[in-house]
Amino acid sequence: MGHYRFQDMGMAEVQRVGNLQVEECNEIWSDVMSQINALFPEGEIDAGLASVLNDRNEQYQRDVQGYMDDLGLQNTAVGRTREIAAEGGEAMRRAASL
């Protein structure tokens, strides 16, 4: 009969990669916004275009925050799973020693 061992290293990697992706996306988004703003050095951007850019920026920020919230929930779930696995393993060890 084999031994079972709970491992969540893969999930930690998902969290790490997810955070890196957000950093990279934020850098790209910031660069795009800077380049667009550079097209209007005197600030004479059309009100319609300014409104669209503002809406897109707000949507991007909401999407990124939602993604970060989801990563946080995943991290919480993995942590709770780790606790449950440890508690279950300890209970099995106690039962086996009786």
Side-chain angles (χ1 to χ4, degrees):
M1 199 154 166
H3 293 270
Y4 296 97
R5 181 182 175 115
F6 176 77
Q7 295 184 14
D8 63 354
M9 291 185 307
M11 296 307 290
E13 181 66 8
V14 169
Q15 181 83 18
R16 188 187 71 75
V17 169
N19 288 330
L20 287 175
Q21 287 175 335
V22 168
E23 288 176 22
E24 289 175 19
C25 287
N26 284 339
E27 288 174 14
I28 292 167
W29 186 254
S30 178
D31 185 50
V32 167
M33 293 302 287
S34 294
Q35 289 182 35
I36 290 171
N37 287 327
L39 296 172
F40 305 95
E42 303 299 319
E44 62 231 7
I45 190 169
D46 174 77
L49 180 57
S51 177
V52 168
L53 289 173
N54 188 49
D55 290 347
R56 294 284 172 95
N57 188 52
E58 288 175 0
Q59 181 64 46
Y60 173 79
Q61 297 301 326
R62 282 191 301 272
D63 290 347
V64 166
Q65 187 58 52
Y67 181 74
M68 291 300 295
D69 291 347
D70 289 347
L71 279 176
L73 290 171
Q74 174 185 290
N75 193 37
T76 299
V78 169
R80 185 65 187 126
T81 302
R82 184 183 308 120
E83 291 170 7
I84 291 168
E87 291 167 3
E90 182 58 33
M92 284 189 275
R93 282 189 289 278
R94 280 194 309 269
S97 68
L98 292 179

